[in-house]
Amino acid sequence: MNHPVKIKNALISVYYKDGLEPLVKQLNESGVTFYSTGGTEKFIRDLGFDVIPVEDLTGYPSILGGRVKTLHPKVFGGILSRRELEEDKVQSAQYEIPEIDLVIVDLYPFEETVKAGLPEDEIIEKIDIGGISLIRAAAKNFNDVVIIASKNDYKTLLGILQQNEGTTLLSHRREFAKKAFNTSSHYDTAIFNYFNRQEPLLVFKQSEQNSKALRYGENPHQKGYFYGNLEAMFTQLNGKELSYNNLVDVDAAVALIDEFTEPTFVILKHTNACGAATRPDLLTAWKDALACDPVSAFGGVLICNGEVDVNTAEEISKLFFEVLIAPSFSEEALKILTAKKNRILLKRKEVALPGKLFKTLLNGVIEQDKDATIEGPGLMTPVTGKKPTEEELKDLFFANKLVKHTKSNTIVLAKNGQLIASGVGQTSRVDALKQALEKAASFGFDVKGSVMASDAFFPFPDCVEIAADAGISAVLQPGGSIKDQLSVDMANQKGIAMVVTGVRHFKH
């Protein structure tokens, strides 16, 4: 059942040679015969070991500028021959095909070439043909052949060979085959997605090699994983490991803060902003963001778009929070904030984020473009006799940024660059407004002179009437209802301003 195989012949042809030397030395000590090409052949020879050029095996030189080197029956026959079949043994002997027991091969750096923005002809040349074929062939014949398709597995194989006197077991070979097919499938997905950028085929292909097991999923009884490279986006300066729910909140926080250019602090709870303020400095922004709802802020996720200094850190430290995200922290600030070991501090790096969003749904996946639209004053069309003032337009823009990133149905109330209150995730827009007004009152905010933003149109004039009676002076909505005029008429009747944007921002 273990089916041990002693490695006698190895084909080695790799692009990256770092970490290869100890493995080659171990194979040489075990009496393994090496076959190789190009730079790898020179690498092995420079170590002082004999190596047979693949050209000597096949009788053909590397041709077409290196495009064809290993694509030959004497190579693939040696990899794919089934050792237990007499017919395969006879044919291998007839055509003088050596059995190849180990294939060490990697792939041209296609993804890296694309990321570097090189011309397409250079990108195309980095589509590996021989390497991918060798990987698939060796992985297919894992019953008899070891395939190493990544430098990350050199040490693993080295340890196995040292422990088993140059022999591998079936379980080893099957595990390496699994990893190899992962390598090949990821590579092909990257190539397909490159070609599928223009006039795309409507198929869904994603592959992410980086992964991290989380403590659990949304709840303790659910398993959770993150696929991606968090270290490319954040440097974690303090605290425990990010949980599934932390990551969901961090994602929402990053998306929201990226709407702002002036100094802004946002506090989120369950992906919704419960505090937000834009001010001349972050310390004031923090204080005013916290004032919106200090109860919900407890245990929240905090994010800002400037350096956290010592004074701001002192104020933040008065609150229990889960995560704090900022582009930088002063040394003095870090001393204060790291005093409690479980506080998660993330220093954000500049990383391009995906333009597509997807998630599993029913028995498939849904995908959409990221909502990258935000309507500023220049895209707000007044529809009432009374026009919003410059200050009201600024507040409407502020409120519109928040409403875009809040669960529907939602209403956001704002005044002087500060979130006053919001109604979140309600089944009716009227309920969302009532929730916002009640919340504002509970924290001592006077909504008179504030503005209101809605994520979607008003099907009836009731929200406008309630808002105007509460003292709200300007309203933003996308418009688009067949009964839009009823809401416009109500705004005119109540003497408040209304603008429409033509863009809905549902968020489910």
Side-chain angles (χ1 to χ4, degrees), residues 173-194:
R173 297 190 296 276
R174 187 181 186 92
E175 182 66 21
F176 285 129
K178 177 174 66 176
K179 292 182 177 182
F181 282 123
N182 174 49
T183 296
S184 64
S185 65
H186 176 79
Y187 195 75
D188 283 338
T189 297
I191 295 170
F192 169 77
N193 285 335
Y194 171 78

Side-chain angles (χ1 to χ4, degrees), residues 56 80 191 193 201 287 308 375 419 438 449 472-473 477 502 507:
D56 291 357
L80 287 166
I191 295 170
N193 285 335
L201 299 174
K287 289 179 178 179
V308 176
E375 310 76 49
L419 173 62
E438 181 180 342
I472 291 166
S473 61
Q477 59 140 330
K507 189 169 186 289

Side-chain angles (χ1 to χ4, degrees), residues 338-400:
T338 56
K340 294 187 178 180
K341 63 179 183 179
N342 285 334
R343 286 175 173 166
I344 300 172
L345 303 181
L346 300 178
K347 180 180 177 181
R348 187 179 171 189
K349 304 174 186 178
E350 290 296 326
V351 175
L353 297 175
K356 299 281 188 180
L357 304 174
F358 60 87
K359 65 179 180 180
T360 57
L361 188 148
L362 299 176
N363 62 341
V365 175
I366 54 173
E367 180 184 66
Q368 65 173 345
D369 295 333
K370 190 175 183 178
D371 186 356
T373 299
I374 188 64
E375 310 76 49
L379 298 175
M380 298 176 188
T381 303
V383 291
T384 50
K386 184 178 180 181
K387 305 298 185 286
T389 65
E390 287 299 314
E391 286 303 312
E392 287 171 337
L393 284 172
K394 287 182 182 179
D395 280 340
L396 288 170
F397 190 23
F398 177 88
N400 198 29

Side-chain angles (χ1 to χ4, degrees), residues 230-429:
L230 276 178
E231 292 181 0
M233 187 162 184
F234 301 109
T235 299
Q236 184 164 345
L237 303 175
N238 192 66
K240 57 189 177 182
E241 288 189 1
L242 287 158
S243 69
Y244 182 99
N245 292 331
N246 288 154
L247 288 168
V248 173
D249 284 333
V250 167
D251 176 68
V254 167
L256 177 50
I257 200 67
D258 282 352
E259 302 284 1
F260 297 92
T261 56
E262 297 176 347
T264 301
F265 234 112
V266 179
I267 306 168
L268 295 95
K269 201 70 171 290
H270 299 300
T271 75
N272 297 300
C274 59
T278 294
R279 293 291 182 262
D281 62 87
L282 281 180
L283 176 57
T284 310
W286 162 252
K287 289 179 178 179
D288 289 347
L290 180 61
C292 175
D293 183 352
V295 175
S296 295
F298 183 86
V301 170
L302 323 177
I303 190 166
C304 63
N305 55 4
E307 181 171 278
V308 176
D309 61 20
V310 62
N311 294 328
T312 308
E314 287 174 346
E315 289 298 319
I316 293 172
S317 287
K318 296 175 183 178
L319 175 76
F320 168 74
F321 62 87
E322 283 280 332
V323 185
L324 171 58
I325 311 158
S328 61
F329 299 82
S330 73
E331 288 186 21
E332 295 82 359
L334 278 178
K335 290 178 183 177
I336 295 169
L337 293 167
T338 56
K340 294 187 178 180
K341 63 179 183 179
N342 285 334
R343 286 175 173 166
I344 300 172
L345 303 181
L346 300 178
K347 180 180 177 181
R348 187 179 171 189
K349 304 174 186 178
E350 290 296 326
V351 175
L353 297 175
K356 299 281 188 180
L357 304 174
F358 60 87
K359 65 179 180 180
T360 57
L361 188 148
L362 299 176
N363 62 341
V365 175
I366 54 173
E367 180 184 66
Q368 65 173 345
D369 295 333
K370 190 175 183 178
D371 186 356
T373 299
I374 188 64
E375 310 76 49
L379 298 175
M380 298 176 188
T381 303
V383 291
T384 50
K386 184 178 180 181
K387 305 298 185 286
T389 65
E390 287 299 314
E391 286 303 312
E392 287 171 337
L393 284 172
K394 287 182 182 179
D395 280 340
L396 288 170
F397 190 23
F398 177 88
N400 198 29
K401 293 174 181 179
L402 294 172
V403 86
K404 171 184 170 181
H405 294 274
T406 305
K407 293 287 186 182
S408 301
N409 288 309
T410 181
I411 291 289
V412 167
L413 307 181
K415 186 177 182 180
N416 298 328
Q418 180 185 23
L419 173 62
I420 299 300
S422 59
V424 176
Q426 298 301 301
T427 52
S428 81
R429 207 155 301 283

